[in-house]
Amino acid sequence: MRPIRLSEPEPEPPGGATPEIFAAGGGAAVVRRAVVIGNGCAGAESQCFGLLRALGLADRFTLYRAIRPTGGINKWLHFLPFSFRKTLDQFHRRVFSDTRFAALVKGNKFVQYPVRNCQSFGLSSVLEADTQKMVTMVCDTFEKFHLDRFDLVVTPRHDYYAFTAKGQQEVPRLLRRWITPQEPPGPNVVLTAGALHQADSAALRSAAADWHAELTPLPKPLVVVNIGGPTRNCKYDVDLAKQLVNSLHNVLKTCGSVRISFSRRTPQKVSDLILKEFSTHPKIYIWDGEGPNPHLGHLAWADAFIITADSISMLSEACSTGKPVYVIGAEHCRWKFSDFHNRLHERRAVRPFTGLEDMSDSWSYPPLNDAADVAARVREALAQRGWRLG
């Protein structure tokens, strides 16, 4: 994916006032730029970037990050409150600021302590949010922190799974007060079918041009396989990889070519098994993580997709193309992940991957278009308040 280029943040006005993001113009107030508060997780922040693309603000925003301390001593401190972990992490950084001494003993070896002030995804301006102030504010105003205090809230429909009849059955009555959200969605809540993302039509047109020379000569149908990794709500092990291997072998005769990609969460034993089985197969190419990421090119040129059930983001992107999407491992999903898959199935956007398919069969459905739909709601909400995007 091409790096996102941000304009430099506006200088802070005298006296520490908030940078100006609004301007008057044309008889209406104009929104000039956006502020994103992220958590350092690519899947979560990509949803914000996808909405900004749909709003025309992709090159006019400032990103703040509230990042949980990771690595080093933090893997032993996960049970502590976030604010306390942040304090310890900052103290540790100051004490071991010299990288020659920033190491921890692991067995009989010294390993480098990974200092992560912030993460970079090709962004020219990433600022770290003051998480202490954020945590203090949330603690002080928790009882007042209701969604109706916001003009607009965007969230996937499956986040409200707890309010469905099936969801109510899964949660003991005594524990329901701890499940969020605690109220049904109000008129200010926009529910999406899946995750927002950046793979819009413009991005895919650009990717189609960039990957034309490499992907168009491949025999058809071109089948793209995206392999994620187990999550809290979709647990599986190497047995699913073995199932995928067997099913792929069964459908290879109906595939022209196959391209396989792994995600950051793919367990080593899963990727090793796939590589051992298919690395020398003449029909199959496995991206090794080196060089340009072919993900957008795959979305643009694939004739069909096979995707593991754990990744809501990858499924949302593939289902925005209107092309056949086969899912493997949905039976391992629980809670709201299961609800997400059921809804995609109801929309006829996905089918289970069984290994009995003829991959040359083509079928379609109304593509997911969540980012554009949400952008329209944002513009509508702004217009009602006398604002517009500039």
Side-chain angles (χ1 to χ4, degrees):
M1 186 175 294
R2 291 179 175 178
I4 301 169
R5 298 299 178 189
L6 286 153
S7 56
E8 293 302 318
E10 298 178 24
E12 185 174 310
T18 304
E20 183 64 54
I21 64 172
F22 305 110
V30 180
V31 178
R32 298 170 52 196
R33 61 188 300 118
V35 174
V36 176
I37 300 178
N39 61 358
C41 296
E45 292 180 353
S46 182
Q47 297 194 62
C48 299
F49 301 152
L51 178 56
L52 291 177
R53 282 183 62 91
L55 291 172
L57 296 173
D59 59 348
R60 289 180 288 149
F61 70 92
T62 302
L63 172 63
Y64 291 85
R65 281 196 174 124
I67 304 175
R68 288 183 178 274
T70 58
I73 62 173
N74 288 288
K75 62 182 178 181
W76 292 292
L77 304 178
H78 59 85
F79 59 89
L80 295 176
F82 174 45
S83 56
F84 187 53
R85 287 174 59 193
K86 185 76 172 180
T87 301
L88 283 179
D89 184 66
Q90 291 173 341
F91 172 76
H92 193 274
R93 290 183 201 170
R94 284 194 291 268
V95 173
F96 297 105
S97 58
D98 189 333
T99 56
R100 290 175 299 173
F101 300 100
L104 293 174
V105 177
K106 182 178 181 180
N108 295 323
K109 299 179 180 178
F110 279 87
V111 295
Q112 188 71 26
Y113 171 67
V115 177
R116 298 182 182 177
N117 294 322
C118 62
Q119 299 171 347
S120 174
F121 295 96
L123 303 173
S124 62
S125 175
V126 178
L127 308 176
E128 186 175 10
D130 190 334
T131 51
Q132 180 60 48
K133 289 184 179 178
M134 292 170 62
V135 170
T136 301
M137 180 195 71
V138 171
C139 290
D140 291 344
T141 62
F142 181 77
E143 294 302 324
K144 302 176 183 178
F145 200 75
H146 299 291
L147 295 185
D148 59 7
R149 301 185 70 191
F150 297 89
D151 293 312
L152 211 60
V153 176
V154 181
T155 189
R157 186 176 297 276
H158 57 258
D159 277 352
Y160 280 88
Y161 176 65
F163 287 95
T164 66
K166 188 175 180 181
Q168 290 285 302
Q169 294 175 0
E170 293 185 35
V171 182
R173 186 175 297 275
L174 291 176
L175 298 180
R176 289 178 186 172
R177 62 171 301 203
W178 303 105
I179 302 295
T180 57
Q182 297 181 353
E183 298 176 354
N188 65 321
V189 177
V190 181
L191 299 179
T192 63
L196 305 185
H197 54 80
Q198 303 178 69
D200 56 23
S201 57
L204 294 187
R205 283 195 299 270
S206 176
D210 291 343
W211 290 90
H212 180 274
E214 181 170 340
L215 299 183
T216 50
L218 297 178
K220 301 292 185 179
L222 169 57
V223 178
V224 167
V225 182
N226 290 331
I227 302 174
T231 66
R232 181 179 60 180
N233 288 314
C234 194
K235 296 180 179 179
Y236 58 85
D237 54 24
V238 73
D239 287 340
L240 185 66
K242 294 177 181 178
Q243 179 186 337
L244 175 60
V245 166
N246 292 332
S247 296
L248 275 177
H249 274 301
N250 290 339
V251 302
L252 274 176
K253 60 181 177 292
T254 64
C255 298
S257 49
V258 177
R259 290 175 68 96
I260 300 175
S261 294
F262 304 112
S263 79
R264 303 178 191 86
R265 292 184 292 102
T266 307
Q268 186 71 39
K269 58 185 179 181
V270 170
S271 57
D272 286 347
L273 176 64
I274 300 296
L275 286 166
K276 179 181 179 181
E277 195 69 29
F278 293 122
S279 61
T280 59
H281 197 287
K283 279 190 175 184
I284 297 177
Y285 167 84
I286 302 176
W287 185 52
D288 60 5
E290 299 295 327
N293 189 332
H295 180 60
L296 283 178
H298 287 171
L299 289 173
W301 286 106
D303 296 300
F305 301 92
I306 300 170
I307 302 176
T308 54
D310 55 275
S311 179
I312 290 177
S313 295
M314 287 194 297
L315 284 165
S316 298
E317 291 172 339
C319 289
S320 71
T321 67
K323 302 173 185 178
V325 178
Y326 297 94
V327 181
I328 184 167
E331 66 276 11
H332 296 282
C333 294
R334 59 179 291 276
W335 192 236
K336 63 182 184 179
F337 273 50
S338 178
D339 186 58
F340 169 69
H341 284 284
N342 289 337
R343 293 184 185 278
L344 287 185
H345 185 74
E346 290 171 0
R347 297 173 66 109
R348 303 183 184 276
V350 299
R351 296 179 183 177
F353 182 55
T354 64
L356 303 177
E357 294 81 7
D358 181 345
M359 300 306 293
S360 64
D361 287 346
S362 182
W363 46 275
S364 61
Y365 48 88
L368 269 62
N369 200 22
D370 285 327
D373 294 341
V374 172
R377 286 291 303 274
V378 171
R379 291 189 179 96
E380 179 183 334
L382 289 172
Q384 289 174 351
R385 291 157 180 78
W387 296 86
R388 66 178 176 84
L389 294 169

